[in-house]
Structure formats: C-alpha cells, structure tokens
C-alpha cells in the first residue's frame, strides 16, 4: 500500500483555515481518497489535554520554554498516535497547523531562538515534514478585524498587535526558506479564488 500525503494549513488568526480544511477534505474525498482531518495542538486525547493547558487563560503566567515544550510534547503524541499510522495505511492527513506554527508563534511571536526550535523539530520529527503546506496570508489589519468579531478568544488570540506582526513575518520567512513545500495563498481575496489557488497546488500532488 502506498503511503498517504501530509498536508498542513497555516496562517494567522481568522484567515479561514477551518473552512478551507474542510474544502480540501471534500475535494480529496471526491478523488476517491481516504482523508483524516486533525489539528495542533491536539489530535489525540492526551494532546487535546495539552491543548487546554496551552490555550486557557490562567493566573499563572506560562513560561515561554514551557509553552514550547508543551507544543512539541503534544506533537510527539500526535505523530505517534494519528499522523504516522494514518499515512502508513495510505490515508491522506490534513492538519490545522503543524511545526511551521511553532516557528511563527514561539519563534516569531515569543521571539525564541530559532535554533532551539530546529533542535526540537529534529528530535521529535526526524526528517519528517509535510508534503504540502498552505500558508493563508493577509495584512494584519484583516486578521485583527476578524478576531475582534469572535467571542471567547483564547490566550494567543488575546495577544497585542506587535505579537501578530512578528507571527506573520515569521510565517513568511518560513515560506521563503521552504518555497517547494509552502504555498502562500492570498487570504484577502474571495473564498472561491482562495480555493481555486489551493486546487492548483493539490493537483500535482495527486499525480505523484
């Protein structure tokens, strides 16, 4: 049995990752593929508990190193229990966020050392990386307006503008460093055009 493909969706807050994740799932299933949809942090019962630790507001400040290690702890469990087994069975896996988000939020937003993230990435993942990553990108003003319209924002969504500016720039740095894998999608266009762009990048993957 051929192994499946691993697709990730990345981007700032409020840029339509969830909507487009389900679009990709439907598109791939219409091609006769078996698809697993998941998310980070999370994806397994244990990893979802770690997600709660990361996202919930609390009186005790979460140290940056604690946050980073929890991210990779959840990821290690996610890889072992969900991602690797599904791919080995020939399923395609779509994840709402993966390690590029760590470079963006902890590396960019928290201004942690990229070399430290790289070490943890290698330790937890080895050489494993997504086959294709969509980076939904739009000006920060667009993202912030959409976040303001939400209720019950989590700990990350309550950060200030400079944090999100650093997150966006770190994402774009990742895209420049990995142009063959990361496809930047203009999220400030119509949903129809966003999804047309995605299909254009999915079709070559289907032909591999």
């Amino acid at each position: 049995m051929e192994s499946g493909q691993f697709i990730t969706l990345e981007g700032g807050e409020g840029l339509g990752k969830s909507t487009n994740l389900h679009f990709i799932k439907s598109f791939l299933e219409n091609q006769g593929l078996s698809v697993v949809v998941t998310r980070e942090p999370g994806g397994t019962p244990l990893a979802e508990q770690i997600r709660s630790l990361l996202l919930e507001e609390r009186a005790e400040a979460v140290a940056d190193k604690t946050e980073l290690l929890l991210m990779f702890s959840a990821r290690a469990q996610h890889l072992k229990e969900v991602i690797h087994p599904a791919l080995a069975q020939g399923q395609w896996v779509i994840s709402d966020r993966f390690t590029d988000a760590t470079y963006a939020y902890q590396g960019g937003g928290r201004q942690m050392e990229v070399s430290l993230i790289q070490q943890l990435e290698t330790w937890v993942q080895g050489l494993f990386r997504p086959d294709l990553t969509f980076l939904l990108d739009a000006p920060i003003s667009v993202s912030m307006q959409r976040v303001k319209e939400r209720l019950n924002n989590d700990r990350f969504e309550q950060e200030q503008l400079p944090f999100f500016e650093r997150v966006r720039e770190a994402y774009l740095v990742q895209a420049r460093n990995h142009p063959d894998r990361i496809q930047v999608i203009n999220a400030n266009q119509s949903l129809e055009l966003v999804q047309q762009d995605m299909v254009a990048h999915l079709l070559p993957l289907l032909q591999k």
Side-chain angles (χ1 to χ4, degrees):
M1 180 182 295
E2 294 185 5
S3 63
Q5 300 288 306
F6 183 37
I7 300 170
T8 57
L9 270 72
E10 299 283 359
E13 308 300 330
L15 296 183
K17 290 189 308 302
S18 297
T19 298
N20 287 295
L21 183 147
H22 291 294
F23 166 78
I24 295 170
K25 178 178 184 290
S26 296
F27 175 79
L28 294 176
E29 287 178 339
N30 287 337
Q31 314 304 311
L33 297 168
S34 176
V35 180
V36 172
V37 170
T38 189
R39 69 176 181 177
E40 287 213 347
T44 82
L46 175 56
E48 289 291 333
Q49 289 182 308
I50 297 173
R51 179 187 180 90
S52 296
L53 290 174
L54 283 161
L55 299 188
E56 290 177 1
E57 288 188 81
R58 62 189 70 253
E60 179 184 6
V62 180
D64 290 348
K65 288 182 179 179
T66 302
E67 183 177 281
L68 179 64
L69 291 169
L70 285 172
M71 286 289 184
F72 274 104
S73 294
R75 184 163 298 133
Q77 192 73 11
H78 193 203
L79 284 164
K80 181 179 184 294
E81 298 295 330
V82 175
I83 297 173
H84 286 321
L87 293 174
Q89 293 171 11
Q91 295 177 295
W92 287 44
V93 178
I94 314 169
S95 183
D96 182 346
R97 300 198 188 282
F98 194 60
T99 310
D100 292 307
T102 305
Y103 282 98
Y105 283 81
Q106 283 70 52
R110 303 286 187 225
Q111 298 179 292
M112 300 191 72
E113 293 180 22
V114 170
S115 61
L116 179 58
I117 299 172
Q118 290 171 333
Q119 290 174 38
L120 289 169
E121 180 181 34
T122 300
W123 183 52
V124 170
Q125 299 171 217
L127 298 177
F128 179 77
R129 301 292 183 273
D131 296 288
L132 173 64
T133 297
F134 288 118
L135 172 56
L136 292 163
D137 180 63
I140 294 298
S141 58
V142 174
S143 175
M144 291 297 91
Q145 182 58 44
R146 295 179 185 178
V147 169
K148 286 179 183 177
E149 294 169 358
R150 292 178 175 174
L151 299 174
N152 303 318
N153 288 332
D154 64 37
R155 192 170 63 86
F156 286 95
E157 292 167 338
Q158 294 178 28
E159 290 288 346
Q160 300 302 307
L161 182 62
F163 175 88
F164 293 110
E165 289 174 338
R166 294 193 300 270
V167 166
R168 185 190 184 202
E169 179 54 32
Y171 263 134
L172 293 174
V173 168
Q174 279 292 97
R176 290 194 292 271
N177 289 341
H178 306 281
D180 294 337
R181 173 174 65 83
I182 302 177
Q183 302 299 330
V184 181
I185 304 293
N186 177 11
N188 199 26
Q189 59 184 336
S190 70
L191 182 60
E192 180 182 4
L193 290 176
V194 166
Q195 294 175 348
Q196 284 180 8
D197 288 348
M198 288 183 166
V199 168
H201 295 294
L202 287 168
L203 289 175
L205 202 61
L206 288 165
Q207 296 166 2
K208 285 187 177 181

